[in-house]
Amino acid sequence: MTTLDKDAFQPLEQTQGVHKLSRPSLSYWQDAWQRLRANRRAILSLYIIVGLLLFTFLGPLFWDVDPALQDVDQISQPPGADRSAYLVEDYLPWQGQAQPARGSGLTLAEPATTQAVRLVWAAQPGAAEYRVYRNIYPIGPERAFGLPLFETPAQQTFFEDRLDLKPRQYFYSVVVLDNRGQETDRWLSLTVDVKRVVTRSEAIERGLMDAAEEVPLGTEFKFALHPLGTDYLGRDMLARLMHGARISLFIGFFAPLLYILIGVIYGSTAGFVGGMTDQAMMRFADFVVALPFLLFMILFKVIFSISPGESGILPMLVAMIILLWPATARLVRGQILQIREEGYISAAQLLGAKTNYLVMRHMIPNTMGVILVTITFAVPGAIFTEAFLSFIGMGVAPPTPSWGSMCNEGRKTMLTTPHELIFPALFISVTVLAFNLLGDGLRDALDARMRNRD
Amino acid sequence: MLQYTVKRLILGIITVWFIATATFFGMHAVPGDPLTTDKALSPTIRKNLEEKYGLDKPLVTQYGIYLANLARGDFGISFTQENREVNDIIAEHFPVSATLGILAVIFAAVGGVLWGALTALYRNRLPDTIIMFLVILGISVPSFVVAALGQLSLVNLNQITGTSILPVGGWGTVWHMIVPSLVLGLSTMAYLTRLMRSSMLEIVNADFVRTAKAKGVPATQIFSRHQLRNAILPVITVLGPQIAIITTGGFVVEIIFAIPGLGRYFVQAVQQLDYTVIMGTTVFYGAFLVFMVILVDLIYGLIDPRVRLE
């Protein structure tokens, strides 16, 4: 049996820093922030959301245009449309005879303006009457002449069009009618570019020139600028988008904030108290969940906003709060129940932690992440709901713009002026997209169980 | 199983009762009553009408009558369309909505499962990137924009090809149903694709898959027998609530494509304040959705033997 020599055992020299962490210690939120920052899509979405908020709240400072103001000279103007108008003399009646037709086809007697388009054509052999058409699209082989304007007798080979002329391209055609008033297959056509003009009195009225000013004919004026065009009532799209964003974002932020707050209080109470109270509270939540959401949204709108002249934002907010809290309540209750059973809670209790400390230190921080993610995903849902209700005419009342109601109005003129639908739709889509991506990023950053997954 | 079914059905009936009660008292909270119209009624006529429709009775009695009628499946008569029963309206318009909804759900489920599985198999490669981009787009674009754009592209398609195989609106033939149900199912399909992808990713490298590979089972068989079957379960769970979203989401599609469904009729009834139609439709839809969810849960129990229904 070997004896152990005491000298064989030398105490190790105590080295400093063995237990030093290789990386600085991070709190939960610091860690989450680092993870979020590494997610390029989430950060880009964050920038987009900040940009949207700036657009909504600072935008009107730079673009101070009343969203309800109608510019009747520029209705349904796409962005970048020609805004120039030329000064002309007051309108003088025209009899046509003074202008004999040159050549054989359909020609303009004078340059076409928004004041009048004056057409003359050579008499066609065998014509009993002529029918004049105007189209905003090319006529094409299927002979889509468009809007019939007038029928002239055979001896009148001129026509003056003054019907709601817009500064755009028109396709005129003159069809020869036979003795029985039937259209023959002979027709003349002409493509006309109409120039916008104003008379002196109109220019003064629109504030383009002073009454005392002497301005020569043909001077070019510029009408008010509408960077994103105007809608079907001549209202500025950019201003309406900015003001509509207020409604959409207000609903989008406040409705989730409020109903999630209620859900958190309800759910955590149920989770803490437990027992029969918990059962009863959760059963009630189950019933509210079962209510068909959109139907009850509409029903609430009917109940709350029967009085006319109300913008309808408040009823929408109340309805969303009443209907949407249970999902959060369930989630938070589940979290609380789960956390209550965690080892670190027992450990803290063994070490003598009080309920107050447990709630503040463990329960709230550990549920915060889930709640934050829920809020982020709830925002696009609320924006969608607002847009949907406004779209079917149950949302905000007409004078107030919202993205949803703008889409609804834009849909009606979708074929001729698509920008009225595309801009609000784009804003809704980009906002929802940004919040969805941010929510994805937040969930990955905050939810430990979701980490290392795709 | 039977006990569970009975329990769920009883709970479902209580839920429907809750919906009916909320609807009834909600509608009675609306200022004015169904007899308030543009035309002024003389007090005598008004009294007679109130007597006829039972509006002179106390609220509790009215509620009792309402529940008794509901139990018999009688939703009453329309206020704006004379002598038309709400039951008739539902019977006429609901099949249209249901057809549209079922087609949309089938399209969403099949599309979602296939795309989701595909993205998981091609994880982080080109097909995955493209499909997931489309999915994000499908989730972010509102349904009414998709519907409007769908209609616009139909117009263009018909113009370019010079045909009108796919009608721009209306209802009647199979051709009428294709585009509206595609549009209606799109957002659900996007959602299911995401869900299927993440559930598939968990299974792609599961132990039983590795075992099957080691045994030499062909890849297609592993996909269809082992991966798809296991990954599809979470998709079925959410299908119940998704049916709810699809059927109510049908409102917009029905309006835009001029489809004579119940959703469009409901919106119209709300605009005209047709009380009985609003109440009847809400309760009917509510009951339909509640029992749909129960049905899906029961099916889930049948498909997945691991789930113990209690």
Side-chain angles (χ1 to χ4, degrees):
Chain A
M1 194 184 221
T2 45
T3 50
L4 290 170
D5 188 3
K6 206 176 183 181
D7 292 337
F9 295 94
Q10 290 293 324
L12 262 176
E13 195 183 323
Q14 255 193 351
T15 45
Q16 290 292 311
V18 170
H19 293 290
K20 203 186 269 175
L21 296 168
S22 54
R23 277 181 291 181
S25 151
L26 289 175
S27 77
Y28 175 60
W29 294 106
Q30 282 171 325
D31 177 49
W33 174 238
Q34 278 199 349
R35 282 170 194 280
L36 189 68
R37 263 215 320 229
N39 188 336
R40 284 220 319 273
R41 286 199 300 189
I43 290 300
L44 186 69
S45 311
L46 206 60
Y47 282 135
I48 291 176
I49 291 166
V50 170
L52 266 171
L53 290 175
L54 289 178
F55 172 80
T56 314
F57 294 102
L58 293 184
L61 297 180
F62 295 102
W63 185 249
D64 186 18
V65 172
D66 183 2
L69 190 73
Q70 282 181 266
D71 187 345
V72 287
D73 293 313
Q74 302 188 73
I75 282 174
S76 287
Q77 285 286 327
D82 181 25
R83 295 181 288 121
S84 46
Y86 300 90
L87 192 67
V88 290
E89 277 180 85
D90 287 345
Y91 173 75
L92 289 169
W94 181 63
Q95 289 309 317
Q97 312 89 318
Q99 302 286 337
R102 293 160 299 205
S104 56
L106 183 62
T107 48
L108 283 170
E110 284 171 20
T113 66
T114 48
Q115 204 174 49
V117 173
R118 290 169 176 174
L119 300 166
V120 283
W121 59 90
Q124 299 295 310
E129 274 178 310
Y130 301 102
R131 187 175 288 155
V132 185
Y133 285 95
R134 187 178 86 186
N135 201 347
I136 52 175
Y137 298 110
I139 293 155
E142 62 272 13
R143 311 212 318 176
F145 292 130
L147 180 73
L149 293 173
F150 201 71
E151 275 164 36
T152 65
Q155 63 274 19
Q156 188 191 327
T157 58
F158 61 91
F159 177 71
E160 183 189 44
D161 180 18
R162 299 194 67 207
L163 181 72
D164 192 30
L165 288 162
K166 295 279 180 322
R168 59 167 300 157
Q169 199 169 49
Y170 287 107
F171 301 89
Y172 282 95
S173 42
V174 174
V175 181
V176 175
L177 303 187
D178 62 17
N179 291 326
R180 290 164 296 142
Q182 297 295 311
E183 285 186 11
T184 62
D185 56 1
R186 283 184 298 141
W187 50 284
L188 309 163
S189 69
L190 182 67
T191 308
V192 174
D193 285 309
V194 173
K195 214 164 65 169
R196 187 194 276 120
V197 292
V198 283
T199 62
R200 212 185 134 74
S201 56
E202 282 168 345
I204 293 167
E205 191 191 333
R206 283 161 178 69
L208 296 170
M209 59 181 271
D210 286 331
E213 232 175 318
E214 269 306 321
V215 179
L217 289 180
T219 310
E220 186 181 336
F221 293 114
K222 286 277 184 198
F223 276 141
L225 173 71
H226 301 288
L228 294 184
T230 54
D231 71 355
Y232 74 115
L233 291 176
R235 295 173 297 191
D236 186 68
M237 285 292 283
L238 183 60
R240 283 177 69 72
L241 282 170
M242 281 173 180
H243 287 257
R246 285 188 193 176
I247 307 289
S248 296
L249 292 181
F250 176 82
I251 295 275
F253 279 113
F254 276 90
L257 223 55
L258 290 173
Y259 75 70
I260 284 172
L261 187 70
I262 292 173
V264 167
I265 293 170
Y266 192 93
S268 51
T269 312
F272 267 126
V273 178
M276 281 302 286
T277 323
D278 176 34
Q279 285 297 315
M281 283 174 91
M282 282 301 120
R283 200 49 71 220
F284 179 67
D286 284 348
F287 287 139
V288 179
V289 166
L291 296 177
F293 173 65
L294 284 173
L295 263 69
F296 267 76
M297 276 301 293
I298 293 170
L299 210 63
F300 275 121
K301 282 286 301 173
V302 176
I303 295 166
F304 291 130
S305 60
I306 206 76
S307 60
E310 203 193 329
S311 64
I313 302 165
L314 208 62
M316 213 179 330
L317 205 63
V318 174
M320 280 170 108
I321 291 167
I322 290 177
L323 288 173
L324 289 175
W325 59 266
T328 323
R330 274 178 170 179
L331 190 77
V332 171
R333 173 181 168 271
Q335 284 281 315
I336 295 277
L337 287 181
Q338 196 191 334
I339 291 168
R340 258 182 18 177
E341 305 303 319
E342 292 281 353
Y344 57 83
I345 296 283
S346 318
Q349 276 174 331
L350 272 177
L351 290 170
K354 301 213 167 55
T355 314
N356 243 355
Y357 178 84
L358 285 178
V359 171
M360 298 305 290
R361 186 74 200 163
H362 293 297
M363 301 274 191
I364 292 182
N366 273 306
T367 40
M368 243 0 240
V370 178
I371 293 167
L372 201 65
V373 173
T374 315
I375 291 180
T376 322
F377 280 121
V379 170
I383 291 176
F384 261 12
T385 308
E386 185 278 326
F388 169 79
L389 287 175
S390 297
F391 185 77
I392 60 170
M394 307 256 71
V396 291
T400 325
S402 91
W403 290 345
S405 58
M406 288 175 76
C407 279
N408 187 22
E409 288 157 4
R411 183 176 67 89
K412 292 163 190 159
T413 54
M414 183 172 78
L415 282 174
T416 46
T417 51
H419 73 279
E420 289 174 45
L421 172 68
I422 287 169
F423 284 129
L426 202 67
F427 269 84
I428 295 174
S429 306
V430 168
T431 312
V432 170
L433 183 70
F435 274 102
N436 275 330
L437 291 180
L438 182 68
D440 279 346
L442 273 180
R443 193 190 51 207
D444 292 345
L446 290 172
D447 194 342
R449 276 159 308 164
M450 290 301 294
R451 271 176 206 160
N452 306 323
R453 273 204 213 168
D454 209 40
Chain B
M1 179 73 193
L2 185 72
Q3 206 186 349
Y4 174 79
T5 314
V6 171
K7 194 180 151 197
R8 282 299 302 266
L9 282 179
I10 290 173
L11 265 179
I13 289 168
I14 297 175
T15 312
V16 173
W17 165 79
F18 181 79
I19 293 171
T21 309
T23 316
F24 179 82
F25 288 104
M27 287 315 288
H28 276 265
V30 177
D33 60 44
L35 297 179
T36 318
T37 52
D38 310 335
K39 285 174 270 177
L41 294 172
S42 79
T44 344
I45 296 174
R46 198 184 164 81
K47 197 164 163 294
N48 287 339
L49 279 175
E50 278 184 351
E51 238 166 69
K52 186 184 173 216
Y53 289 112
L55 291 169
D56 54 341
K57 297 191 180 71
L59 197 60
V60 183
T61 321
Q62 285 187 41
Y63 176 60
I65 296 170
Y66 168 70
L67 280 189
N69 284 341
L70 267 193
R72 278 186 281 122
D74 180 6
F75 290 117
I77 49 166
S78 165
F79 271 95
T80 50
Q81 299 191 17
E82 278 175 37
N83 290 329
R84 189 136 188 241
E85 282 187 22
V86 181
N87 291 37
D88 286 349
I89 294 171
I90 291 174
E92 190 184 327
H93 297 285
F94 181 67
V96 175
S97 291
T99 314
L100 186 66
I102 289 168
L103 278 177
V105 169
I106 292 172
F107 162 67
V110 172
V113 166
L114 286 183
W115 293 128
L118 200 68
T119 50
L121 291 180
Y122 286 89
R123 183 184 179 182
N124 293 342
R125 304 223 307 264
L126 192 64
D128 181 28
T129 318
I130 293 172
I131 293 172
M132 287 320 281
F133 175 74
L134 291 177
V135 161
I136 291 282
L137 219 60
I139 289 173
S140 304
V141 181
S143 61
F144 50 82
V145 174
V146 176
L149 291 181
Q151 201 175 32
L152 192 62
S153 38
L154 258 186
V155 172
N156 290 333
L157 185 79
N158 284 346
Q159 240 166 27
I160 290 166
T161 57
T163 55
S164 51
I165 295 173
L166 294 175
V168 173
W171 194 251
T173 64
V174 181
W175 303 114
H176 286 95
M177 302 174 188
I178 293 173
V179 175
S181 57
L182 283 180
V183 167
L184 185 55
L186 204 67
S187 66
T188 304
M189 186 177 82
Y191 174 67
L192 293 181
T193 305
R194 272 178 90 159
L195 197 71
M196 184 69 192
R197 180 174 185 267
S198 58
S199 98
M200 190 78 178
L201 280 179
E202 279 174 37
I203 279 168
V204 163
N205 294 318
D207 289 342
F208 56 83
V209 172
R210 205 178 317 130
T211 312
K213 265 184 203 161
K215 271 168 42 186
V217 180
T220 48
Q221 214 170 348
I222 294 179
F223 176 71
S224 61
R225 286 243 178 114
H226 299 280
Q227 292 174 326
L228 205 59
R229 278 196 187 182
N230 280 291
I232 214 167
L233 291 170
V235 175
I236 294 171
T237 354
V238 298
L239 217 52
Q242 282 299 316
I243 289 172
I245 293 170
I246 282 187
T247 33
T248 38
F251 289 8
V252 164
V253 174
E254 283 173 19
I255 292 169
I256 290 182
F257 286 97
I259 295 166
L262 195 55
R264 193 168 71 128
Y265 208 88
F266 177 74
V267 174
Q268 199 184 318
V270 168
Q271 278 156 359
Q272 296 172 342
L273 274 184
D274 195 339
Y275 289 73
T276 42
V277 175
I278 296 174
M279 285 161 75
T281 320
T282 309
V283 174
F284 177 78
Y285 255 132
F288 173 71
L289 299 179
V290 165
F291 290 110
M292 217 55 178
V293 173
I294 294 176
L295 192 70
V296 170
D297 282 356
L298 291 177
I299 291 173
Y300 189 61
L302 290 180
I303 291 175
D304 188 355
R306 287 172 305 183
V307 175
R308 286 265 169 75
L309 299 176
E310 39 167 315

